[in-house]
């Protein structure tokens, strides 16, 4: 049970009752009586008493003027804003500024939970400086008599300061034998005493968080760890934290304590945080440095924001993983915070000391009303290999009238090896595109791309790096139409023409260029792509027919030849299927696929040499089926299907047939039987005794009483057919048996059996099943116990879960001779060197 979350929910009620009594009150009611003899005021009917932010609603109130006391003996509602709760009576002492409420009942839904917390307080006394709760009960159980709850004799709440519990205990009633025959609750098991609990609140609070406890198993030199965090400051929605961690030293390790802090500071205009953590240890008499510290600072001056950060990391062994890291990270960012025309300038430097490289990058992003500029430059130095790489880009986007959009990109790359033998490699690339949506939803795209070799095409370097391999678009024009309709067919079309030039460098042809020289604007590639598709329903025999076609065509302009005389590439694809139903119990689905491309296809451009795989295949699936739903005269549902499938491929001369597959499925109510098998239709005489796939049988039974059986077995069908031997390849059985009529308090027995024959290949034997795992689960209304055993790992485990806190189970495992905790007590360690 998450005690802190329960108490935080209780604070909701205590805070709700808080108000500041002033000398001014406002009283509204239907009828008002005044008894002059005893100086008493009666208010009846829709009574509302307003005290600053609090409103007290009741059917009647009595105001004793001489005693300065307000009393109500009927049901009262106290409301502040959107929050409210009910009380059976009220006593308001205006002299002592004290409010007394009795029999308070409220429910709260805490964040990150899937249920409610219920709070009952017998009497609540609300004074200016302290709220006193008498005989309070906090629970997550919605039963009239909660099965688990936190009881407290006295509860003192000092707003923004502290919360105190006096003479408290946690009650957890168990409803199964032998606890049901014991007339009292068993201490420490069903009753856990909490004589005194103190919880500090307020802005300067010190909170000890629940520790993270576990064991690092991927390194034998590490053992158990306990990571503790102390929250000592909360300001501007930021929590400052101290870290004190203990790591068990095993074998050749020495050093067990790690320390750190994460501190947030500042206000709305100047703020930041500082993080530092150190855990040095000695491994094999060698000191290991594990240190990280960082600082982040933000300063806002009018419309400008300045941000800077620095991080130094020297880690020989991470905590929740393996590996080391040593680096220095620096960054600076300037932002001009104007909504329509912002500007951002940023510089980052990363030094990888372990891998001996350094990266320095800067970027400038400036937006205007209808355009945007982004400039980036990055330099990366590799000290071990003496390499220096520089990459830079400029991107410009602009919106014009009538829906035209322009995008321009300039990229600069420089690769330099710091010696006199290898020349400098420099390239400059330019790309531009204009897009426009034309009438009839046609998308137009005009592309231009160009590369300039700044190192004057040094052939040796270019052929080795291939960095100057490039397809020039001078320009390319594309028209695309999608989701169109042509003669009731769904269609999409792409038409593309362009003037292209391709340059490639390689060992065999170091100066390949096509065309050899740049030429005037004249298209040398014509591309057409056309797709059609159609689905036709409501045909005879309840048939559905679907087909789609795809046609692609590349025409290339060769020298001294027309486009239809030179190189070209064509491809055609067809997919169709017909699914029909006969006699109300037979389904037949036929699918045909064909893809064709002429062998004469050729392209003078490497970028457009398309690899193509032809196909010409037919597949058939025949299914026998029967389905019947429940009815007043038939109290069962039946769903039966038996499918058979194979196929034929005309392009395979030696093995044209697809494997034959058969699958039978029978469902009766919640029960299911499945049988699957297969057979190779292409086999030689020598391999005929291995032509069958395994025979797989599975059975699932579910009774109305929620008893469940899942059984699966796989046979070697070749042995059954040719040798009459029922050899089992694998088999398993799972049982789930509930015991008890009330599902909120039922027992569940889960068992898993695995087939393990004495000899491999022996025939089926019932006694070859062995118990692999078993567990017993007890539902206890909003909570659950589980006790189990796994034979494979020789493991016993116990699990206890509250429904409201599913992520925080209590788990105890014993594997061989090792006992471990899980859930809240065994989470992955937090990486301090982040």
């Amino acid at each position: 049970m998450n005690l802190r979350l329960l108490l935080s929910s209780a604070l909701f009620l205590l805070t709700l009752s808080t108000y500041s009594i002033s000398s001014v009150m406002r009283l509204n009611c239907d009828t008002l009586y005044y008894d002059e003899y005893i100086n008493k005021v009666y208010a009846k009917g829709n009574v509302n008493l307003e005290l600053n932010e609090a409103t007290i609603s009741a059917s009647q109130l009595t105001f004793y003027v001489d005693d300065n006391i307000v009393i109500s003996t009927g049901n009262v509602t106290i409301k502040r804003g959107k929050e409210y709760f009910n009380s059976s009576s009220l006593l308001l002492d205006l002299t002592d500024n004290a409010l007394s409420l009795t029999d308070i009942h409220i429910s709260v839904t805490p964040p990150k939970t899937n249920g409610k917390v219920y709070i009952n307080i017998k009497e609540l006394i609300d004074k200016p400086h302290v709220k006193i709760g008498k005989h309070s009960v906090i629970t997550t159980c919605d039963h009239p008599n909660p099965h688990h709850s936190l009881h407290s004799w006295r509860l003192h709440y000092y707003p923004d300061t502290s919360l105190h519990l006096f003479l408290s205990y946690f009650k957890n009633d168990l409803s199964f034998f032998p606890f049901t025959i014991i007339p009292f609750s068993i201490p420490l098991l069903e009753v856990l005493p909490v004589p005194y609990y103190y919880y500090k609140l307020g802005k300067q609070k010190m909170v000890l968080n629940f520790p993270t406890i576990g064991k690092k198993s991927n390194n034998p030199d590490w053992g158990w760890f306990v990571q503790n965090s102390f929250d000592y400051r909360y300001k501007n929605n930021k929590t400052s934290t101290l870290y004190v961690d203990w790591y068990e030293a095993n074998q050749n390790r020495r050093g067990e304590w790690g320390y750190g802090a994460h501190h947030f500071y500042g206000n709305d205009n100047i703020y930041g945080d500082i993080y530092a953590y150190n855990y040095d240890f000695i491994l094999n008499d060698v000191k290991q440095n594990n240190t990280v510290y960082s600082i982040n600072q933000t300063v806002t001056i009018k419309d400008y924001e300045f941000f800077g950060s620095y991080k130094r990391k020297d880690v020989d062994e991470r905590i929740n993983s393996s590996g080391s890291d040593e680096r220095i990270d620096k960054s600076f960012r300037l932002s001009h915070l104007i909504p329509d025309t912002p500007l951002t300038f940023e510089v980052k430097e990363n030094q990888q000391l372990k891998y001996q490289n350094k990266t320095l990058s800067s970027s400038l992003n400036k937006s205007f009303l209808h355009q945007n500029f982004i400039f980036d430059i990055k330099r990366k130095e590799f000290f071990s290999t003496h390499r220096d790489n520089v990459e830079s880009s400029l991107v410009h986007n602009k919106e014009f009238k009538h829906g035209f959009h322009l995008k321009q990109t300039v990229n600069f790359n420089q690769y330099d090896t710091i010696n006199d033998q290898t020349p400098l490699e420099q390239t400059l690339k330019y790309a531009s595109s204009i897009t426009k949506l034309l009438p009839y939803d046609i998308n137009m795209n005009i592309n231009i791309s160009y590369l300039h070799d700044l190192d004057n095409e040094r052939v040796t370097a270019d052929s080795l790096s291939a960095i100057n391999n490039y397809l020039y678009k001078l320009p390319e024009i594309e028209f695309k139409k999608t989701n169109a309709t042509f003669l009731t067919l769904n269609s999409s079309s792409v038409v593309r023409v362009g003037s292209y030039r391709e340059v490639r460098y390689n060992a065999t042809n170091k100066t390949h260029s096509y065309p050899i020289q740049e030429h005037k604007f004249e298209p040398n590639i014509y591309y057409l792509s056309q797709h059609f598709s159609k689905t036709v329903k409501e045909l005879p025999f309840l048939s559905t027919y679907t087909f789609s076609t795809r046609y692609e065509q590349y025409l290339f302009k060769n020298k001294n030849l027309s486009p239809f005389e030179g190189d070209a590439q064509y491809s055609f694809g067809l997919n169709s299927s017909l699914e029909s139903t006969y006699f109300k119990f037979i389904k037949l689905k036929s699918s045909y696929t064909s893809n064709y491309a002429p062998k004469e296809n050729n392209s003078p451009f490497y970028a457009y040499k398309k690899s193509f795989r032809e196909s010409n295949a037919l597949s058939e699936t025949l299914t026998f089926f029967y389905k019947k739903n429940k009815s007043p005269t038939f109290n069962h549902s039946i769903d039966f299907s038996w499918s058979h499938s194979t196929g034929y491929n005309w392009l395979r001369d030696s093995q044209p047939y697809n494997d034959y597959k058969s699958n039978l499925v029978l469902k009766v109510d919640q029960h299911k039987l499945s049988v699957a098998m297969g057979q190779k239709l292409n086999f030689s005489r020598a391999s005929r005794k291995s032509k069958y796939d395994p025979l797989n049988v599975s059975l699932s039974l579910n009774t109305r009483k929620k008893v469940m059986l899942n059984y699966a077995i796989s046979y070697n069908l070749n042995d059954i057919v040719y040798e009459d031997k029922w050899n089992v390849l694998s088999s398993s059985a799972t049982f789930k048996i509930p015991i008890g009529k009330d599902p909120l308090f039922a027992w569940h027995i889960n068992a898993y059996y695995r087939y393990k024959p004495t000899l491999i290949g022996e025939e089926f034997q019932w006694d070859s099943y062995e118990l692999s795992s078993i567990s017993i689960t007890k539902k206890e209304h909003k909570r659950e116990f589980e006790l189990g055993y796994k034979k494979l790992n020789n493991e016993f485990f116990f699990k206890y879960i509250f429904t409201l806190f599913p992520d925080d189970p209590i788990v105890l495992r014993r594997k061989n001779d090792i006992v471990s905790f899980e859930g809240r007590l065994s989470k992955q360690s937090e990486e301090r060197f982040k």
Side-chain angles (χ1 to χ4, degrees):
M1 181 73 91
N2 195 321
L3 182 60
R4 284 186 57 189
L5 182 56
L6 289 177
L7 296 179
S8 299
S9 303
L11 294 183
F12 167 83
L13 171 63
L14 300 176
T15 304
L16 180 60
S17 67
T18 303
Y19 67 96
S20 177
I21 300 176
S22 75
S23 58
V24 178
M25 295 187 299
R26 179 177 298 172
L27 178 64
N28 297 316
C29 61
D30 294 338
T31 306
L32 187 67
Y33 301 94
Y34 175 64
D35 190 334
E36 183 179 1
Y37 180 75
I38 60 175
N39 204 15
K40 180 172 62 175
V41 177
Y42 296 95
K44 294 184 178 181
N46 299 318
V47 180
N48 285 288
L49 178 63
E50 297 182 9
L51 297 171
N52 292 344
E53 298 179 358
T55 301
I56 301 174
S57 301
S59 58
Q60 66 177 21
L61 286 177
T62 303
F63 180 23
Y64 294 89
V65 179
D66 294 336
D67 299 325
N68 214 16
I69 293 176
V70 178
I71 296 177
S72 172
T73 57
N75 291 330
V76 178
T77 300
I78 299 178
K79 183 177 180 180
R80 291 185 63 193
K82 297 181 180 180
E83 303 168 340
Y84 68 93
F85 66 94
N86 298 320
S87 174
S88 62
S89 66
L90 172 146
L91 189 151
L92 177 61
D93 189 337
L94 299 177
T95 303
D96 295 335
N97 291 344
L99 171 68
S100 178
L101 304 169
T102 58
D103 294 331
I104 301 171
H105 308 278
I106 193 170
S107 63
V108 182
T109 302
K112 298 181 180 180
T113 60
N114 57 357
K116 294 183 177 181
V117 175
Y118 302 92
I119 304 170
N120 301 316
I121 298 180
K122 190 66 176 177
E123 182 180 1
L124 175 63
I125 301 174
D126 188 345
K127 296 183 178 181
H129 303 294
V130 62
K131 322 301 172 186
I132 302 174
K134 298 181 179 181
H135 304 290
S136 61
V137 180
I138 307 173
T139 180
T140 62
C141 177
D142 56 4
H143 194 269
N145 295 314
H147 300 99
H148 51 276
S149 52
L150 176 65
H151 297 250
S152 180
W153 174 68
R154 287 291 186 273
L155 183 152
H156 289 191
Y157 167 53
Y158 297 87
D160 297 329
T161 304
S162 61
L163 174 68
H164 304 258
L165 296 182
F166 301 93
L167 298 181
S168 302
Y169 62 93
F170 177 68
K171 188 178 181 182
N172 185 41
D173 294 332
L174 302 177
S175 62
F176 54 91
F177 182 84
F179 304 100
T180 53
I181 65 173
I182 301 176
F184 55 86
S185 299
I186 301 177
L188 301 182
L189 185 60
E190 292 183 293
V191 176
L192 180 65
V194 186
Y196 175 74
Y197 184 82
Y198 171 75
Y199 184 46
K200 187 173 179 60
L201 306 169
K203 297 180 179 180
Q204 301 295 329
K205 63 183 179 182
M206 169 69 77
V207 178
L208 173 61
N209 297 310
F210 199 96
T212 300
I213 305 173
K215 186 176 184 180
K216 187 173 181 179
S217 58
N218 60 350
N219 191 324
D221 294 320
W222 290 66
W224 289 91
F225 60 80
V226 180
Q227 292 184 309
N228 302 283
S229 59
F230 301 84
D231 298 337
Y232 65 90
R233 185 174 186 263
Y234 183 79
K235 190 174 183 179
N236 297 329
N237 296 322
K238 299 292 184 180
T239 302
S240 298
T241 308
L242 295 175
Y243 305 103
V244 179
D245 304 331
W246 175 83
Y247 304 95
E248 182 185 15
N250 287 340
Q251 298 185 14
N252 300 318
R253 285 182 67 255
R254 286 182 290 158
E256 298 180 337
W257 293 97
Y259 307 92
H262 194 182
H263 180 74
F264 293 89
Y265 60 90
N267 50 37
D268 294 338
N269 297 323
I270 301 176
Y271 59 91
D273 66 281
I274 300 174
Y275 179 81
Y277 189 84
N278 176 261
Y279 169 54
D280 293 342
F281 60 91
I282 297 175
L283 180 62
N284 295 324
D285 296 329
V286 178
K287 183 180 179 180
Q288 304 291 310
N289 297 316
N290 273 22
T291 302
V292 62
Y293 53 88
S294 65
I295 181 171
N296 300 292
Q297 179 67 59
T298 301
V299 178
T300 302
I301 302 176
K302 294 184 178 180
D303 294 332
Y304 290 91
E305 181 182 88
F306 301 87
F307 171 79
S309 68
Y310 177 86
K311 177 185 287 187
R312 176 69 169 93
K313 183 184 294 187
D314 185 3
V315 180
D316 288 324
E317 177 67 25
R318 295 187 180 95
I319 291 175
N320 65 353
S321 61
S322 59
S324 58
D325 192 8
E326 186 178 5
R327 68 171 66 190
I328 299 176
D329 294 329
K330 307 174 186 177
S331 68
F332 170 78
R333 183 178 68 245
L334 167 64
S335 301
H336 192 193
L337 307 176
I338 300 179
D340 295 329
T341 59
L343 180 145
T344 302
F345 174 70
E346 188 171 19
V347 179
K348 293 183 179 181
E349 180 183 291
N350 170 259
Q351 296 185 47
Q352 287 281 0
L353 304 178
K354 179 179 177 62
Y355 301 103
Q356 300 185 41
N357 63 66
K358 175 182 176 181
T359 302
L360 177 64
S361 62
S362 61
S363 65
L364 175 66
N365 189 329
K366 175 61 179 175
S367 295
F368 299 92
L369 291 178
H370 300 287
Q371 59 183 323
N372 170 260
F373 288 93
I374 302 175
F375 176 73
D376 295 290
I377 183 170
K378 180 171 68 174
R379 179 181 181 183
K380 191 167 186 177
E381 299 177 76
F382 300 86
F383 302 112
S384 59
T385 57
H386 305 287
R387 289 187 294 126
D388 187 0
N389 299 341
V390 178
E391 299 177 359
S392 179
S393 68
L394 173 64
V395 180
H396 172 227
N397 290 277
K398 186 171 183 178
E399 296 284 347
F400 293 91
K401 292 183 178 180
H402 310 297
F404 285 94
H405 176 79
L406 171 65
K407 181 178 181 180
Q408 301 179 90
T409 304
V410 179
N411 291 287
F412 171 79
N413 293 276
Q414 173 179 295
Y415 301 93
D416 186 17
T417 301
I418 308 174
N419 56 52
D420 297 333
Q421 299 177 355
T422 304
L424 186 69
E425 186 77 63
Q426 292 179 324
T427 59
L428 184 67
K429 297 179 183 179
Y430 171 78
S432 177
S433 67
I434 298 176
T435 59
K436 162 70 176 171
L437 181 62
L438 301 177
Y440 304 102
D441 293 328
I442 298 175
N443 291 283
M444 181 189 70
N445 193 357
I446 303 175
N447 298 310
I448 298 175
S449 61
Y450 194 86
L451 180 145
H452 181 55
D453 189 4
L454 298 178
D455 58 20
N456 297 321
E457 298 183 353
R458 295 183 178 90
V459 175
T460 302
D462 292 342
S463 63
L464 293 177
S465 65
I467 191 174
N468 292 334
N469 291 349
Y470 197 71
L471 180 70
Y472 297 76
K473 299 178 181 180
L474 306 167
E476 173 191 80
I477 304 175
E478 179 186 85
F479 299 92
K480 181 184 293 185
K481 172 72 172 178
T482 59
N483 299 323
T485 301
F486 176 76
L487 298 178
T488 72
L489 301 177
N490 299 321
S491 69
S492 62
S493 308
V494 178
V495 176
R496 188 185 304 138
V497 296
S499 176
Y500 301 86
R501 181 170 180 260
E502 185 180 53
V503 175
R504 289 182 64 87
Y505 297 86
N506 52 60
T508 58
N509 190 355
K510 297 181 179 180
T511 59
H512 169 76
S513 174
Y514 185 83
I516 297 177
Q517 296 180 349
E518 296 187 21
H519 58 288
K520 297 180 180 180
F521 171 75
E522 180 184 1
N524 55 10
I525 294 182
Y526 303 83
Y527 172 77
L528 171 64
S529 173
Q530 182 66 60
H531 293 249
F532 291 104
S533 64
K534 180 70 174 179
T535 298
V536 183
K537 298 181 179 180
E538 299 180 358
L539 296 174
F541 303 106
L542 302 175
S543 300
T544 300
Y545 177 68
T546 303
F547 85 96
S548 63
T549 63
R550 175 186 53 81
Y551 175 75
E552 283 191 337
Q553 169 187 287
Y554 288 88
L555 296 180
F556 303 100
K557 178 69 172 64
N558 298 98
K559 186 177 181 180
N560 300 325
L561 295 175
S562 68
F564 293 95
E565 295 175 335
D567 293 323
Q569 290 185 154
Y570 304 90
S571 64
F572 176 79
L574 171 65
N575 295 282
S576 64
S577 66
L578 177 65
E579 184 173 352
S580 306
T581 302
Y582 304 95
F583 309 113
K584 296 184 179 181
F585 65 90
I586 298 176
K587 283 185 180 180
L588 178 62
K589 183 177 181 180
S590 303
S591 300
Y592 176 72
T593 301
S594 176
N595 292 292
Y596 171 75
K599 296 181 180 179
E600 295 78 13
N601 277 356
N602 189 42
S603 168
F605 295 91
Y606 283 91
Y608 290 105
K609 282 191 175 181
K610 300 295 183 181
S611 60
F612 190 85
R613 184 176 181 179
E614 293 189 358
S615 64
N616 189 18
L618 174 69
S619 62
E620 298 282 349
T621 301
L622 177 66
T623 304
F624 300 94
F625 70 95
Y626 175 77
K627 188 171 184 178
K628 184 176 180 60
N629 297 323
K630 288 184 178 182
S631 65
T633 59
F634 190 75
N635 197 29
H636 299 282
S637 63
I638 300 176
D639 190 353
F640 168 82
S641 68
W642 187 16
S643 63
H644 310 264
S645 63
T646 186
Y648 188 86
N649 192 328
W650 281 271
L651 299 182
R652 294 200 303 243
D653 296 331
S654 59
Q655 297 183 344
Y657 292 97
N658 294 342
D659 292 348
Y660 163 74
K661 301 289 185 182
S662 177
N663 189 16
L664 182 148
V665 177
L666 173 62
K667 296 181 180 178
V668 179
D669 296 335
Q670 301 298 321
H671 313 304
K672 179 180 178 181
L673 171 67
S674 176
V675 181
M677 59 165 289
Q679 176 184 342
K680 297 178 177 64
L681 300 182
N682 305 300
F683 58 89
S684 61
R685 183 174 181 83
S687 61
R688 67 181 183 87
K689 289 192 175 183
S690 61
K691 68 177 182 178
Y692 292 105
D693 292 341
L695 174 63
N696 299 315
V697 181
S698 63
L699 177 65
S700 177
L701 300 177
N702 294 273
T703 69
R704 294 181 180 179
K705 295 183 178 181
K706 305 299 182 181
V707 176
M708 188 187 75
L709 165 65
N710 288 332
Y711 179 76
I713 189 169
S714 178
Y715 289 101
N716 188 328
L717 190 54
N718 293 288
D719 291 345
I720 297 175
V721 173
Y722 296 109
E723 301 182 15
D724 194 24
K725 292 183 178 180
W726 292 73
N727 295 335
V728 179
L729 299 176
S730 63
S731 182
S732 64
T734 302
F735 298 89
K736 292 186 178 181
I737 305 174
I739 301 175
K741 296 181 180 180
D742 190 344
L744 296 177
F745 296 90
W747 292 85
H748 292 264
I749 300 177
N750 306 317
Y752 175 74
Y753 287 85
R754 185 181 59 171
Y755 189 83
K756 189 175 182 180
T758 305
L759 298 174
I760 298 178
E762 71 177 9
E763 293 191 13
F764 177 78
Q765 300 289 336
W766 281 107
D767 56 3
S768 293
Y769 285 97
E770 67 173 12
L771 182 63
S772 180
S773 65
I774 186 171
S775 66
I776 300 175
T777 303
K778 178 64 170 69
K779 299 286 186 178
E780 278 288 285
H781 189 241
K782 304 293 184 178
R783 56 204 163 134
E784 183 177 310
F785 302 89
E786 184 178 6
L787 179 65
Y789 170 73
K790 295 181 180 179
K791 184 177 181 180
L792 181 63
N793 300 326
N794 189 25
E795 175 185 311
F796 292 91
F797 65 91
F798 171 78
K799 183 183 294 186
Y800 188 21
I801 303 174
F802 282 94
T803 304
L804 190 62
F805 313 110
D807 297 331
D808 295 330
I810 300 174
V811 183
L812 175 65
R813 293 186 186 273
R814 179 187 179 276
K815 186 184 299 184
N816 296 324
D817 295 329
I818 300 176
V819 179
S820 62
F821 295 92
E822 294 182 9
R824 289 288 294 182
L825 297 178
S826 181
K827 291 188 175 181
Q828 187 182 37
S829 59
E830 297 180 9
E831 184 55 72
R832 302 300 194 202
F833 304 109
K834 51 191 176 181

